């Protein structure tokens, strides 16, 4: 992997998160986990290249994100689609080591875990987070469609400190 400047990214951000998905990983060399994300945004925040991701409260990975200053987003090639799917369908709450179960190798950059074999990896440093306030969802139909269980997301806005590419 080689490092590039975040402003050199030429991938369509809508395809990146919504179609390619990202595998968000957090933890350390002793214990790490991950999950797929398809809701998010890439842009600028506080004059820094940034990514926003959303995590529901029941996700096992949320505790790792909350306990870590940094996390990664790995964007995998189509040949690794089964790996992405596994990270999204398995639950760490069941004691599953998602990296092992998905057949994925862990790699590390500055102590941050990511999925080895990714086409592109963002190494991210948390800047701010917050809880969705259901009273601020303007269209009740969006609330009903996306939160039938009232399990509102936490959002995390993070600086993209490094971009690694194949």
């Amino acid at each position: 992997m080689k490092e590039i400047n975040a402003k050199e990214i030429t991938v369509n951000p809508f395809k990146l998160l919504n179609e390619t998905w990202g595998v968000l990983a957090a933890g350390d060399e002793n214990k790490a986990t991950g999950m797929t994300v398809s809701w998010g945004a890439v842009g600028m925040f506080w004059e820094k290249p940034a990514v926003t991701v959303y995590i529901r409260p029941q996700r096992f990975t949320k505790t790792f994100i909350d306990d870590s200053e940094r996390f990664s987003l790995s964007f995998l090639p189509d040949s690794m689609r089964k790996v992405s799917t596994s990270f999204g369908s398995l639950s760490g709450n069941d004691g599953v080591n998602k990296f092992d179960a998905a057949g994925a190798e862990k790699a590390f950059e500055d102590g941050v875990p990511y999925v080895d074999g990714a086409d592109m990896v963002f190494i991210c440093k948390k800047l701010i987070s917050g809880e969705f306030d259901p009273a601020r969802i303007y269209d009740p139909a969006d609330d009903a469609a996306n939160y039938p269980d009232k399990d509102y997301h936490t959002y995390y806005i993070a600086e993209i400190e490094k971009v690694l590419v194949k």
Side-chain angles (χ1 to χ4, degrees), residues 27-32 64 97 106 108:
D28 57 32
E29 294 190 23
N30 295 318
K31 191 170 183 183
F64 284 76
N97 178 319
K106 258 181 286 190
F108 291 88

Side-chain angles (χ1 to χ4, degrees), residues 15-165:
K15 288 185 177 184
L16 188 66
L17 287 167
N18 194 290
E19 293 177 21
T20 304
W21 305 343
V23 175
L24 183 152
D28 57 32
E29 294 190 23
N30 295 318
K31 191 170 183 183
T33 194
M35 62 180 268
T36 56
V37 293
S38 62
W39 287 7
V42 178
M44 299 297 290
F45 186 76
W46 293 340
E47 299 180 27
K48 300 172 183 180
V51 64
T52 303
V53 295
Y54 308 95
I55 303 177
R56 292 191 191 266
Q58 67 268 33
R59 294 301 299 257
F60 181 72
T61 305
K62 186 177 183 311
T63 59
F64 284 76
I65 294 291
D66 289 341
D67 292 343
S68 301
E69 181 181 7
R70 291 178 167 76
F71 64 88
S72 69
L73 279 174
S74 300
F75 300 98
L76 309 182
D78 285 340
S79 63
M80 294 180 72
R81 190 62 163 186
K82 279 182 135 176
V83 172
S84 296
T85 302
S86 293
F87 273 98
S89 62
L90 299 170
S91 175
N93 286 318
D94 299 330
V96 172
N97 178 319
K98 288 192 190 181
F99 278 91
D100 290 346
E105 293 293 324
K106 258 181 286 190
F108 291 88
E109 179 71 22
D110 298 332
V112 178
Y114 68 90
V115 179
D116 193 28
D119 284 336
M120 183 167 46
V121 176
F122 295 170
I123 303 298
C124 306
K125 179 181 177 184
K126 292 187 304 188
L127 297 172
I128 189 169
S129 64
E131 307 296 323
F132 275 26
D133 178 355
R136 300 188 71 69
I137 298 175
Y138 297 106
D139 187 339
D142 287 331
D143 188 13
N146 293 293
Y147 300 103
D149 297 328
K150 305 301 180 202
D151 56 343
Y152 298 98
H153 286 89
T154 299
Y155 67 85
Y156 299 84
I157 302 174
E159 178 181 6
I160 301 171
E161 291 187 309
K162 286 186 180 182
V163 178
L164 306 174
V165 295

